[in-house]
Amino acid sequence: MTERKNLFSLENEKELDIAWCPGCGNFGILNILKNVLEEMEEITPNNFVLVSGIGQAAKIPHYFKNNAFNGLHGRALPVASAIKMANPELYVVAESGDGDMYGEGGNHFIHNIRRNVNITNIVHDNRVYGLTKGQASPTSQRGMVTPVQVNGVILNPFNPIAVAIANGATFVARTFVGDIKGAKEIIKKAIRHKGYALVDLFQPCVTFNKINTYAWFNEHTYKLGEEHDPSDKMKALELAFQEDKLPLGIIYEEKGKPTFEEQLTIYKENKDPLFKRNVDLNKLESFINSMR
Amino acid sequence: MKRTIKEEISIVLSGEAGQGIQTIERLLTFILKREGYYVFATKEYMSRIRGGSNSTEIRVSSKPVRSYTEGIDILMPLTKESVEHLGNRVTEETLIIADNESLKLDNKNIFDIPIISIAKEIGNTIYSNIVAVGVILGLFGIKTKTIEDYLRERFEGKGEEIVKNNIKAASEGYKLGKEFTDKGEIKVIIESDESLKDDLLISGTDAVALGALAGNCDSIFSYPMTPGTGVLIDLANFSKDFDILVEQAEDEIAAINMAIGGWYAGARSMVTTSDGGFALMEEGVSLAAMVESPVVIHLAQRPAPATGLPTRTGQEGLNLVIHSGHGEFPRLVFAPGTLEQAFEITQKAFNIADKYQIPVFILTDQFFVDSYYNVKKFDLSKIENKKYIVETDENYKRFDLSKAENGVSPRGIPNFGKGLVVVDSDEHDEEGHLTEDLDIRVKMVEKRLKKGEVLVEDYISPELFGNENYKYLVVCWGSNYNVVKEAIARIDNKDVAMLHFSQVYPLPDSTVKYLEKAKKVIDVENNATGQFAKLLRAETGINVDKKILKYNGMPFSVEELTAKIREELK
């Protein structure tokens, strides 16, 4: 265990110019994820890829020592899925904010749930756009006043949990950065889950979201108890629509559903990642020559 | 009316979508090619699933033919509207073979044949198409064995009865066709050449898809868009025999991001699309440039803006492609003119993209991807695929400036070696981590642009056809290769030559030399503004003297282009 301490820390960690505001929930997530990776023996900086989009949350790969792809706004999921498709030996986590995943990347969010590639999707959900300074995000609650939504948000908030369950996601969880132990456990389970796993991770934006503070999240969430059966889809949907108090924990989990890559013929017999393969030119020549 | 057709014949089939024109086209071309004729086929169609008026032209010749002609020697209409749809292409010379009992056409050149009742006798009207095929083959006096063999191969999977009925239908039609020639009403005299039976018969779509396979393409991510979809379908079909990851993305934005993700993990990915779909992919092109990822983009052009004419042809995507993506970075844009070029270029595209870590484009168009003709068997023995990924060490830095030869840093991939691979769409340092250090910014810009300077060693020079001491130079690019070549051959004037560009961006160095030598440069393009002519001026400072432009959605015909070029020689 000890030799894995700081395994995912950059050599210059202490001098890193981290772009987040003091008190930002992202710091907590950074620590949680680092601990999770250190504790997961199967994962190394080499066989792990952290993919993100754009936004404050999306900067997270820069504060880690591992493979990373920091792409475009909303596009973390297509990149992450394709990496896993091309090399199923890699552990792939797509991590970004609610604006990135549910707003700009909404279409990819829906379709990657359907695709069920074996990746983990961690969404830093602070219910506001931080990097662009405080506009509403898809999860902002109605009435929240912002520099753009000057009379308050009039749109219904996006419900990632319900959308994920409705589209057939096999691992849907919600957690809160204030609950370090719970968050760690859920992320670990999400990474080990076979198939697409969503972790909607509440975090406060201390600068731009004065509503959903640490205190607010503490007050408006509760942890699901042992009695909750995550395989009960109808119950899970009911929980997804619970608004007064938001449930934390694994809301829905379905085991044994085949992943995208498992269903691909290219991996049925040959498990090699694509980079190890080459087209057989002799076979190709005879194949082409049959086009007569 | 009696007519003798020598050396070459143009047969047009026309009818509604869904009537099986493509089946007739395929059977005819393959059987005729096997019998030793040069064949070429191209289709024009409406943007609908059923109904409308579509047509296919099949040219059969004793010499190679590879372009579209206006003239129709034999028309086989499957609907009454077909004749009207083809307009001026149907002349006094055109012979019409039709089941006139049902079509009731009013034309003096009709050869009435009871296709439908013959089919009914065999058991089902679905055999009508095969009867029609038989009629045409009867005119050529094709060996019946060639026909039977092909039909057997083609329908084998559907059971013996279907095979037998098809052979019967073809042979009944054949007798009728033969009767016309025996009576001397239609005589088709075209020499055949046994050796052609070994040729391949492939389309532009096939050429690109096979080229991709030959280039070790192992994955394709795309969203369907006519006319680019064919390459996606081809590769999906090829995936039964070869290991190819085929995924239909939720949109074009996902497609190109997936392709880049694929390359990041060591795959060799491509996307195929058309102009409108590519417009959505542009941010991905810019991403590829910034993370220095290879990516291969096939774009089959169609008329635009917006949805334009979805099933027609055009060369309107050049400006889009050469200016696509924000920021400054190198790219290569190829526009093959022949099927052989399309195969070779696509194969190379993967290696070039990999070598320089840049986006490489293959620009075709609807006419190109939907046309097919016979080509010599491909020789794959000289094909070399090189993967440029390196096994990394602990000190690996993705954008290492000290190791960047001509701007190209060794490209590692995750979990291959001890190093870590970090890439970022933000400006980044050598390790790939984002930076706002403006000195590093300058170095990275220069590094990326440097690659553009060395690309030259993989440039594809323009091809000159005709006399080297030309006075008139007809300049073209992409799919106009064959039509310009045929027009110039028809003009047969030693003062005229053709210069075809299959690399349109950056312009090969020899461009200026060719242009300067001409007394008059005539530019031929399928767009309304002369995009390539403008590119020539921008890059070389040389103005073309005359532009021949067509933008109604149809390709140039040999006849019209010959006349238009002749006009410029006066």
Side-chain angles (χ1 to χ4, degrees):
Chain A
M1 192 60 222
T2 43
E3 73 272 16
R4 288 183 65 89
K5 189 83 189 143
N6 297 326
L7 188 61
F8 293 84
S9 302
L10 290 161
E11 281 77 14
N12 60 346
E13 191 176 38
K14 297 228 156 52
E15 303 111 63
L16 275 184
D17 175 23
I18 294 188
W20 298 324
C21 310
C24 174
N26 285 330
F27 285 103
I29 300 177
L30 177 63
N31 285 331
I32 288 167
L33 186 66
K34 207 167 264 182
N35 287 337
V36 164
L37 294 174
E38 284 167 357
E39 288 169 23
M40 292 181 77
E41 299 279 343
E42 65 269 45
I43 296 180
T44 68
N46 288 79
N47 70 10
F48 178 74
V49 187
L50 190 51
V51 184
S52 70
I54 296 296
Q56 286 297 68
K59 289 175 179 166
I60 198 164
H62 294 293
Y63 313 132
F64 273 98
K65 187 176 146 190
N66 48 238
N67 297 302
F69 192 117
N70 180 191
L72 297 172
H73 194 32
R75 316 298 171 216
L77 286 174
V79 171
S81 299
I83 291 171
K84 184 75 181 178
M85 291 176 198
N87 187 352
E89 291 172 358
L90 298 170
Y91 288 89
V92 182
V93 169
E95 190 155 345
S96 247
D98 46 289
D100 189 272
M101 291 292 181
Y102 305 147
E104 187 93 19
N107 198 26
H108 311 310
F109 177 65
I110 291 170
H111 293 284
N112 278 292
I113 292 168
R114 295 179 50 228
R115 209 167 260 128
N116 200 32
V117 179
N118 187 9
I119 60 169
T120 307
N121 187 11
I122 302 172
V123 185
H124 301 208
D125 191 351
N126 61 9
R127 304 185 156 198
V128 74
Y129 279 12
L131 186 58
T132 53
K133 304 194 173 179
Q135 302 81 9
S137 90
T139 48
S140 292
Q141 61 192 65
R142 292 178 71 104
M144 179 174 169
V145 175
T146 85
V148 174
Q149 289 75 17
V150 290
N151 296 317
V153 171
I154 56 171
L155 272 66
N156 292 322
F158 182 75
N159 188 331
I161 305 296
V163 168
I165 297 169
N167 279 285
T170 52
F171 187 100
V172 183
R174 174 171 263 160
T175 182
F176 170 45
V177 69
D179 174 19
I180 296 172
K181 199 166 156 259
K184 268 174 63 177
E185 195 184 324
I186 281 173
I187 292 173
K188 244 187 234 175
K189 283 187 175 157
I191 294 175
R192 287 191 175 132
H193 174 78
K194 202 165 66 83
Y196 169 87
L198 171 69
V199 180
D200 186 53
L201 210 174
F202 282 146
Q203 56 139 160
C205 171
V206 293
T207 307
F208 294 111
N209 189 338
K210 303 294 184 195
I211 300 170
N212 307 112
T213 59
Y214 279 102
W216 188 95
F217 282 120
N218 274 324
E219 200 178 312
H220 290 83
T221 58
Y222 72 98
K223 283 169 88 168
L224 288 169
E226 294 272 308
E227 73 287 354
H228 174 59
D229 171 12
S231 69
D232 184 342
K233 200 173 210 170
M234 286 306 135
K235 178 70 189 164
L237 269 176
E238 207 182 302
L239 290 171
F241 287 108
Q242 217 168 64
E243 279 175 16
D244 46 341
K245 272 232 174 199
L246 300 154
L248 302 178
I250 298 170
I251 296 169
Y252 181 66
E253 186 175 16
E254 180 184 336
K255 288 179 179 158
K257 198 168 167 182
T259 67
F260 177 89
E261 347 38 297
E262 279 174 345
Q263 298 173 76
L264 291 175
T265 47
I266 54 169
Y267 292 121
K268 284 259 151 72
E269 281 160 22
N270 183 354
K271 306 285 177 202
D272 281 349
L274 294 182
F275 81 91
K276 289 188 181 164
R277 305 182 187 201
N278 286 301
V279 67
D280 177 346
L281 287 173
N282 291 325
K283 186 180 168 193
L284 178 62
E285 186 155 9
S286 53
F287 177 76
I288 293 177
N289 289 343
S290 72
M291 300 174 107
R292 290 176 292 146
Chain B
M1 167 176 162
K2 289 181 192 277
R3 213 186 136 193
T4 303
I5 299 160
K6 283 183 183 164
E7 285 176 21
E8 187 189 317
I9 189 170
S10 146
I11 303 163
V12 170
L13 313 156
S14 180
E16 292 179 5
Q19 278 192 310
I21 293 179
Q22 277 182 52
T23 311
I24 310 183
E25 173 191 3
R26 210 171 159 81
L27 293 174
L28 275 180
T29 48
F30 273 81
I31 293 170
L32 287 167
K33 195 274 305 177
R34 282 196 184 179
E35 192 70 3
Y37 297 99
Y38 285 96
V39 292
F40 165 84
T42 188
K43 57 173 173 274
E44 55 89 23
Y45 54 104
M46 290 179 164
S47 181
R48 51 193 291 178
I49 317 292
R50 290 281 179 268
S53 281
N54 301 341
S55 73
T56 285
E57 175 182 76
I58 301 172
R59 289 178 74 188
V60 187
S61 175
S62 56
K63 311 186 296 284
V65 277
R66 297 177 153 200
S67 40
Y68 164 74
T69 57
E70 207 108 321
I72 301 174
D73 295 313
I74 292 180
L75 170 65
M76 192 168 255
L78 303 182
T79 58
K80 199 171 170 64
E81 294 71 33
S82 298
V83 182
E84 199 185 320
H85 167 68
L86 293 163
N88 297 335
R89 293 181 67 195
V90 182
T91 64
E92 296 273 300
E93 299 283 289
T94 307
L95 306 176
I96 300 176
I97 297 177
D99 187 332
N100 217 28
E101 201 181 331
S102 63
L103 296 189
K104 313 231 181 304
L105 298 167
D106 180 23
N107 187 304
K108 63 180 171 48
N109 289 345
I110 289 181
F111 291 84
D112 188 4
I113 40 173
I115 296 175
I116 296 169
S117 50
I118 293 173
K120 273 188 190 155
E121 268 175 44
I122 293 167
N124 196 320
T125 52
I126 58 161
Y127 296 113
S128 308
N129 287 334
I130 311 296
V131 179
V133 169
V135 175
I136 304 276
L137 295 174
L139 298 180
F140 283 83
I142 299 280
K143 286 197 267 319
T144 47
K145 184 170 184 312
T146 312
I147 303 170
E148 285 185 22
D149 286 353
Y150 188 79
L151 291 174
R152 187 161 288 282
E153 272 172 47
R154 178 80 200 244
F155 296 105
E156 221 163 25
K158 298 192 172 175
E160 188 54 28
E161 196 191 330
I162 305 273
V163 172
K164 274 194 175 150
N165 286 345
N166 274 298
I167 291 175
K168 176 118 178 67
S171 104
E172 289 299 319
Y174 189 88
K175 279 184 217 156
L176 293 173
K178 193 86 177 21
E179 247 175 66
F180 290 132
T181 57
D182 289 346
K183 285 187 201 154
E185 285 173 277
I186 310 175
K187 268 207 172 308
V188 179
I189 306 168
I190 300 171
E191 257 178 67
S192 61
D193 172 355
E194 271 276 296
S195 71
L196 296 187
K197 73 172 195 298
D198 284 338
D199 277 13
L200 308 176
L201 193 47
I202 58 166
S203 68
T205 293
D206 298 335
V208 171
L210 293 171
L213 262 187
N216 219 348
C217 167
D218 53 30
S219 41
I220 181 164
F221 302 97
S222 281
Y223 186 83
M225 185 172 189
T226 306
T229 319
V231 172
L232 176 66
I233 293 171
D234 261 9
L235 285 172
N237 282 317
F238 298 165
S239 72
K240 292 171 192 157
D241 293 284
F242 298 89
D243 288 347
I244 311 164
L245 167 60
V246 179
E247 179 58 356
Q248 181 179 317
E250 55 271 27
D251 54 34
E252 285 88 349
I253 299 171
I256 192 157
N257 277 279
M258 285 176 163
I260 294 166
W263 280 96
Y264 172 80
R268 291 190 136 198
S269 311
M270 78 180 295
V271 296
T272 179
T273 186
S274 186
D275 308 54
F278 179 70
L280 288 173
M281 291 184 177
E282 284 198 59
E283 64 161 10
V285 174
S286 202
L287 174 67
M290 189 52 133
V291 301
E292 301 195 38
S293 171
V295 66
V296 177
I297 298 159
H298 171 243
L299 192 164
Q301 301 163 95
R302 70 190 214 187
T307 313
L309 285 170
T311 61
R312 304 293 170 184
T313 203
Q315 293 184 305
E316 298 178 21
L318 179 64
N319 282 344
L320 173 72
V321 162
I322 62 177
H323 299 297
S324 63
H326 43 298
E328 299 172 299
F329 55 87
R331 73 193 81 198
L332 258 186
V333 184
F334 295 123
T338 66
L339 301 184
E340 293 91 337
Q341 283 176 359
F343 177 77
E344 280 166 33
I345 282 173
T346 310
Q347 185 269 330
K348 275 193 186 133
F350 285 85
N351 294 294
I352 293 173
D354 201 347
K355 181 174 172 187
Y356 299 105
Q357 305 167 13
I358 56 164
V360 175
F361 295 84
I362 299 144
L363 259 189
T364 63
D365 54 50
Q366 180 269 324
F367 171 64
F368 188 87
V369 294
D370 284 340
S371 298
Y372 62 96
Y373 47 81
N374 54 303
V375 296
K376 289 278 158 269
K377 284 203 286 191
F378 294 139
D379 174 14
L380 273 56
S381 64
K382 289 189 186 70
I383 283 183
E384 258 183 78
N385 285 319
K386 187 171 172 204
K387 288 189 184 178
Y388 291 84
I389 45 178
V390 296
E391 192 170 347
T392 55
D393 61 29
E394 276 152 353
N395 303 316
Y396 177 74
K397 290 189 274 189
R398 173 64 188 90
F399 304 103
D400 201 326
L401 290 167
S402 66
K403 292 198 176 125
E405 220 172 290
N406 295 316
V408 182
S409 306
R411 190 167 69 89
I413 57 167
N415 217 18
F416 181 50
K418 293 185 177 127
L420 297 175
V421 186
V422 179
V423 302
D424 186 12
S425 68
D426 280 88
E427 193 55 270
H428 41 255
D429 59 20
E430 290 178 271
E431 284 181 340
H433 287 294
L434 70 83
T435 181
E436 294 194 46
D437 182 321
L438 304 185
D439 294 327
I440 294 177
R441 156 72 185 174
V442 171
K443 284 186 185 137
M444 286 296 166
V445 170
E446 288 168 355
K447 169 195 196 312
R448 293 190 288 266
L449 290 177
K450 182 86 186 158
K451 297 192 280 185
E453 296 166 24
V454 293
L455 278 179
V456 67
E457 67 179 77
D458 285 293
Y459 275 7
I460 297 180
S461 301
E463 186 181 331
L464 186 76
F465 172 76
N467 187 353
E468 279 183 23
N469 298 314
Y470 50 83
K471 284 188 187 137
Y472 302 92
L473 186 65
V474 183
V475 168
C476 61
W477 60 281
S479 68
N480 280 327
Y481 180 100
N482 284 311
V483 69
V484 173
K485 195 169 171 183
E486 191 169 341
I488 283 174
R490 284 192 187 191
I491 290 166
D492 191 23
N493 174 338
K494 65 173 176 45
D495 291 337
V496 189
M498 161 180 108
L499 187 67
H500 176 268
F501 289 81
S502 51
Q503 179 180 320
V504 289
Y505 188 84
L507 287 173
D509 297 337
S510 52
T511 307
V512 175
K513 179 189 81 186
Y514 281 118
L515 296 182
E516 278 180 347
K517 214 169 128 184
K519 194 180 100 186
K520 185 175 187 180
V521 177
I522 303 157
D523 165 61
V524 174
E525 294 186 63
N526 282 112
N527 57 51
T529 57
Q531 294 187 12
F532 190 65
K534 283 182 183 165
L535 179 66
L536 286 175
R537 186 175 62 202
E539 301 286 314
T540 68
I542 299 172
N543 265 317
V544 304
D545 300 287
K546 180 71 192 179
K547 291 180 229 171
I548 299 174
L549 306 172
K550 185 172 185 181
Y551 42 90
N552 69 347
M554 289 292 285
F556 281 105
S557 72
V558 182
E559 295 96 328
E560 73 174 321
L561 196 61
T562 306
K564 283 189 168 152
I565 295 173
R566 272 210 181 105
E567 196 63 27
E568 298 306 323
L569 308 182
K570 282 177 187 162

